[in-house]
Structures are given as structure tokens and as C-alpha cells.
Amino acid sequence: MKGETALIDEKIKKDVDVLADFIALYCDAKHGNLPREPVRTAGAMQMYLGAREITLCGDCRALLLHAASKRIICPYDPKPSCKNCETHCYEPAYRDKIRQVMKFSGMQMIKKGKLGLLKKYFF
């Protein structure tokens, strides 16, 4: 595992962490009554999400895995925000869902005083 750590792109790691935070906040608020399971990963996904203990409902777990995988394989450097990207790599159902998650969770985090997210949220 020591060799794998050196391969982690810190920009991708930060983006995946933000995705995980946003989706976890959304899931807690909107799906609190649904059964939850830990997010299990392997391969490249393990390097980016493996250190975190994230427990989500089935839909949110699928969304996180889809979103994180798309971020990990994104060919753009620098990566544009998804809403401004020429290539829409998310499947339509996931695209609609991530918009809902970002809108809800972004506003919740801003209300909690995490002003650094303003740039991420609006641009």
C-alpha cells in the first residue's frame, strides 16, 4: 500500500473527498430512515475512498461510486466544473441526482460557515 499512496493525485483526492462529504450530508438529511451499508471499494477507487469510513443508503452509495469513478478518470487537466464541461460523462439519472445533491449540500455547508466551498459551488 505504501507504493500506491505515492500515485494519488491530491487534486483528485480533494475532489473525491468533497463528493463524499456532499453525498453523506445529503444522505443523512434525505435518507435517514433507509438502511445503510459501508462503501466498499477496490483498485484506484480504494486509493481515493478506502481510508474513509462512509456509510450510505444504496442509491447514495451508487452515486458516490459513479461520481468518484468519473472524477478519477476525467481526462481534463485542469478539470472544469462538471456543469461547464463539454463532455458529459455522467449517465443522465446520475447527472440529475448529483445536481440535487450539490444544490442541497452546498447550501447546507455554506450555512454552516464553510465559505471555502463558495468557489466550488458557484464555479
Side-chain angles (χ1 to χ4, degrees), residues 5 15 20 24 30 36 49 56 67 73 88 96 98 105 110 118:
T5 314
D15 288 348
K30 301 289 186 173
R36 294 166 183 257
L49 278 174
L56 302 170
I73 65 170
H88 294 295
D96 292 340
I98 200 70
S105 296
I110 290 168
L118 281 172

Side-chain angles (χ1 to χ4, degrees), residues 5-70:
T5 314
L7 300 175
I8 290 178
D9 181 317
E10 290 303 319
K11 291 184 287 185
I12 294 173
K13 175 75 172 131
K14 183 178 176 185
D15 288 348
V16 170
D17 284 343
V18 169
L19 280 168
D21 290 343
F22 273 47
I23 293 171
L25 179 64
Y26 182 88
C27 190
D28 288 344
K30 301 289 186 173
H31 305 146
N33 60 338
L34 295 177
R36 294 166 183 257
E37 291 182 24
V39 175
R40 301 202 194 292
T41 60
M45 190 80 71
Q46 177 70 23
M47 291 190 310
Y48 291 100
L49 278 174
R52 297 184 62 150
E53 289 191 26
I54 306 166
T55 304
L56 302 170
C57 73
D59 287 343
C60 290
R61 192 171 50 256
L63 177 64
L64 175 59
L65 293 174
H66 183 77
S69 69
K70 295 302 181 181

Side-chain angles (χ1 to χ4, degrees), residues 87-107:
T87 308
H88 294 295
C89 58
Y90 279 63
E91 293 178 21
Y94 286 121
R95 193 177 317 145
D96 292 340
K97 189 66 174 177
I98 200 70
R99 282 185 189 130
Q100 292 173 11
V101 168
M102 292 296 173
K103 182 177 180 179
F104 175 83
S105 296
M107 291 308 290

